[in-house]
Amino acid sequence: MCIAGGRIDALTAQASRRPDDRRGAHLRKVLAHDHVFYESDDRDCIFVVESGWVKLYRTLIDGQRQVVGFANAGSILGLESEDIHLNGCEAITPVTVRCIPANSLADICLVDIKLAQQLLRQVGRQLGAAQAQLAAIGTQSAEQKMATFLLSVADLCDATQGGAFDLPMRRGDMAEFLGLRLETVSRKMTEFQRRGWIEMTSLYHCRIVRRALLQKMAQGGEPEEERSAPRAVRPTPQMDLGWKIAQC
Amino acid sequence: MCIAGGRIDALTAQASRRPDDRRGAHLRKVLAHDHVFYESDDRDCIFVVESGWVKLYRTLIDGQRQVVGFANAGSILGLESEDIHLNGCEAITPVTVRCIPANSLADICLVDIKLAQQLLRQVGRQLGAAQAQLAAIGTQSAEQKMATFLLSVADLCDATQGGAFDLPMRRGDMAEFLGLRLETVSRKMTEFQRRGWIEMTSLYHCRIVRRALLQKMAQGGEPEEERSAPRAVRPTPQMDLGWKIAQC
DNA sequence: CGCGCGGTTGATCAACCTCAACCCGCGTGG
DNA sequence: CCACGCGGGTTGAGGTTGATCAACCGCGCG
């Protein structure tokens, strides 16, 4: 789902291991709903998310917005652009990011060829993710999108604690990400709840109760009765969580 | 529109300049509607399109397809994957591709740091393109999508010859790309023709007559009367042709 | 000739959007 | 303290867009 992930170990781990590392200095804290950068800002930095959640979005001429991805710790931002940022990046929770001067990208590549390759893989994964999301947006129904989305966020956040997880973004953010209206998102969420598939412990906290049914729905099944879900041949086009998994 | 482009000069130009270059040998011709590679094929090669058009697509569990991009000469394919191809790649016209062994990617990076950076930029552009397409698919109406698509292909193909250009893909391909049904594509095409905005000189050849109106439509305007189109503040989210332009 | 493929066209229908009302929690200020 | 407004969310009624199903056309080819 273009829920970004994929660690650049050399950037995050290294820095934390050596507190005196000069890269360790460029940390920035951003409040929830503040921007890390805006569309068409000069791209003098790329960023690595250290903690929190951000959304990446684009604004079309008519003012419509499309959220092109969410990202949390470990994700790297700004690689899709050249001279100016093509996406806007807004914090949806309090966030800390590590800033990497864009002009030092070249140096980094020179210094550490392995790192360059890692970067290349990372963008590749993001690309794969974006394409997966494209497939989801283009072909799935509202219900499928919601199911896929919930599953992806759940898997991403952790999942192991009994299916409970944070859902820090607003309804409108989800809507803009999935290509729906926020009313539709709201409706589907309550519908899933009514069917007993999920529980909303609070507005921004969710628990998956019937994972199997959600999965079947995500794959295009009708809302049938409960059954042991047939393992998917391919593990569901998890929007794109694919590359997030790959990183672990 | 994820209509891929973006030349890797060092790969294409170099090879053509030195006929004895060993990379020059790995050329492959593919017939129309044959595959360059399939989904989940081992990714032992990446490819550079030398001539012709291909489409990149994904198949979802329920058999639905999403075309995630079209690509013509100069595009590079396979960077989004790691060990196996995530997309299928089918020729829509006769195509020649240059095959680059995947394991030589690392060597290439070592040998030519500039090239590595170029590759990084290229994937970055593709990523930006995919995100742009995401925005288009997610927010635009059928009519807007068609308009944007036609403009993008036109710009891509050349455009200078009086707005006439090839539209080599089938209706179904466009539909799968735009997240529509092929009937809808067909209808909108004839509708544009009826309005006098385009002319179909043949099934696979098109001419844009009222570019300004098409552009206004692509940006969300209603099908109004003719007017001199107000230059777009931003040059239309040309699906993603953005990065194709950037390459020139 | 008959068939199949790709495309067009028409009628119908449902999914989703739109608009609007309403709820709830919260912060502010009278 | 309460009234008020506001932001975010939910819910409902009705309308449109685009999907669906089906017929049909034209063409190339065995």
Side-chain angles (χ1 to χ4, degrees):
Chain A
M1 63 172 57
C2 298
I3 285 188
R7 303 187 172 280
I8 296 294
D9 300 323
L11 292 183
T12 54
Q14 241 183 47
S16 51
R17 262 190 241 109
R18 326 185 205 149
D20 57 352
D21 182 18
R22 79 178 196 287
R23 284 200 287 271
H26 302 90
L27 276 180
R28 198 173 121 207
K29 287 184 183 300
V30 182
L31 296 177
H33 305 125
D34 273 3
H35 272 75
V36 179
F37 51 86
Y38 290 89
E39 290 167 279
S40 66
D41 271 2
D42 283 338
R43 194 198 70 150
D44 12 61
C45 281
I46 63 170
F47 301 89
V48 180
V49 179
E50 295 284 319
S51 70
W53 282 83
V54 301
K55 67 173 177 186
L56 294 161
Y57 67 88
R58 296 193 182 203
T59 312
L60 305 195
I61 303 97
D62 57 355
Q64 288 255 74
R65 281 235 216 136
Q66 173 75 32
V67 173
V68 297
F70 295 108
N72 64 353
S75 299
I76 183 163
L77 314 169
L79 249 19
E80 76 288 347
S81 318
E82 298 249 24
D83 45 350
I84 59 173
H85 286 292
L86 293 177
N87 301 317
C89 175
E90 183 186 320
I92 55 186
T93 66
V95 159
T96 63
V97 291
R98 181 176 307 280
C99 313
I100 319 259
N103 53 29
S104 77
L105 252 188
D107 303 344
I108 290 176
C109 292
L110 278 175
V111 169
D112 189 345
I113 191 71
K114 284 285 171 218
L115 181 50
Q117 290 171 9
Q118 231 180 328
L119 274 172
L120 193 57
R121 268 206 307 280
Q122 159 88 348
V123 208
R125 275 199 295 262
Q126 288 199 37
L127 178 57
Q131 291 174 343
Q133 175 66 359
L134 207 43
I137 293 288
T139 64
Q140 300 191 295
S141 70
E143 217 153 28
Q144 285 178 282
K145 288 179 192 174
M146 276 307 303
T148 310
F149 178 73
L150 289 175
L151 287 169
S152 301
V153 178
D155 290 354
L156 192 63
C157 285
D158 159 350
T160 51
Q161 45 201 10
F165 58 96
D166 284 328
L167 205 59
M169 61 290 291
R170 295 192 282 255
R171 300 289 183 266
D173 293 328
M174 301 186 215
E176 282 176 350
F177 180 57
L178 298 171
L180 301 171
R181 297 287 112 173
L182 78 169
E183 294 99 323
T184 307
V185 169
S186 183
R187 274 183 245 274
K188 290 305 171 191
M189 293 274 286
T190 52
E191 204 170 322
F192 285 173
Q193 251 181 298
R194 198 176 39 67
R195 291 187 199 151
W197 296 3
I198 64 172
E199 273 174 33
M200 296 300 300
T201 60
S202 86
L203 251 185
Y204 298 106
H205 203 251
C206 180
R207 214 174 89 71
I208 290 184
V209 183
R210 297 285 166 85
R211 168 169 280 266
L213 286 180
L214 262 190
Q215 269 167 347
K216 188 180 292 184
M217 166 55 61
Q219 293 163 24
E222 289 307 299
E224 304 166 23
E225 256 343 91
E226 172 132 31
R227 300 271 232 87
S228 60
R231 275 312 306 150
V233 187
R234 207 175 308 186
T236 305
Q238 243 139 356
M239 296 211 144
D240 70 86
L241 184 148
W243 69 287
K244 178 71 184 182
I245 287 174
Q247 79 160 300
C248 300
Chain B
M1 63 172 57
C2 298
I3 284 190
R7 304 188 172 278
I8 296 295
D9 300 322
L11 292 183
T12 55
Q14 241 182 48
S16 51
R17 264 191 237 109
R18 325 184 207 149
D20 57 353
D21 183 18
R22 77 178 197 290
R23 285 200 287 272
H26 301 90
L27 277 180
R28 199 171 121 206
K29 286 186 183 298
V30 182
L31 297 177
H33 305 125
D34 273 2
H35 273 75
V36 179
F37 52 85
Y38 290 89
E39 289 166 281
S40 65
D41 272 2
D42 282 339
R43 194 197 72 148
D44 12 62
C45 281
I46 64 170
F47 301 89
V48 180
V49 179
E50 296 284 318
S51 70
W53 283 82
V54 301
K55 67 174 177 186
L56 294 160
Y57 67 88
R58 296 193 182 200
T59 312
L60 305 194
I61 302 98
D62 57 356
Q64 288 254 75
R65 281 232 218 140
Q66 173 74 33
V67 173
V68 297
F70 295 107
N72 64 353
S75 300
I76 184 162
L77 314 169
L79 248 21
E80 76 288 349
S81 319
E82 297 252 23
D83 44 349
I84 60 174
H85 285 292
L86 293 177
N87 301 317
C89 176
E90 183 186 321
I92 56 186
T93 66
V95 158
T96 62
V97 291
R98 182 174 307 279
C99 312
I100 320 263
N103 53 31
S104 78
L105 252 188
D107 303 344
I108 290 175
C109 292
L110 279 175
V111 169
D112 188 346
I113 191 70
K114 284 285 171 221
L115 182 49
Q117 290 171 8
Q118 231 180 327
L119 274 172
L120 194 56
R121 267 206 308 279
Q122 160 86 347
V123 208
R125 273 198 297 259
Q126 288 200 36
L127 178 56
Q131 291 174 344
Q133 174 65 359
L134 207 43
I137 294 287
T139 64
Q140 299 190 295
S141 71
E143 217 153 31
Q144 285 178 283
K145 289 179 192 175
M146 277 307 304
T148 311
F149 178 73
L150 289 174
L151 288 169
S152 301
V153 178
D155 290 353
L156 193 60
C157 283
D158 161 349
T160 50
Q161 44 201 11
F165 57 95
D166 284 327
L167 206 59
M169 59 291 289
R170 294 193 284 255
R171 300 288 183 266
D173 292 328
M174 300 185 216
E176 284 175 349
F177 180 58
L178 298 171
L180 301 171
R181 297 286 112 174
L182 79 169
E183 294 99 322
T184 307
V185 169
S186 183
R187 272 185 248 275
K188 290 304 172 193
M189 293 275 286
T190 54
E191 203 171 320
F192 284 173
Q193 251 181 297
R194 196 177 39 68
R195 291 188 200 150
W197 294 4
I198 65 172
E199 272 174 34
M200 296 299 300
T201 60
S202 86
L203 252 184
Y204 299 105
H205 202 252
C206 180
R207 213 174 92 71
I208 290 184
V209 183
R210 298 286 167 84
R211 166 168 281 265
L213 286 180
L214 262 190
Q215 268 167 346
K216 188 180 292 184
M217 166 57 61
Q219 293 163 24
E222 289 307 299
E224 305 167 23
E225 256 344 90
E226 172 131 29
R227 297 273 231 87
S228 60
R231 275 315 302 151
V233 187
R234 208 174 305 188
T236 305
Q238 246 138 351
M239 296 209 141
D240 69 89
L241 186 147
W243 69 288
K244 176 73 183 181
I245 288 173
Q247 78 160 300
C248 300

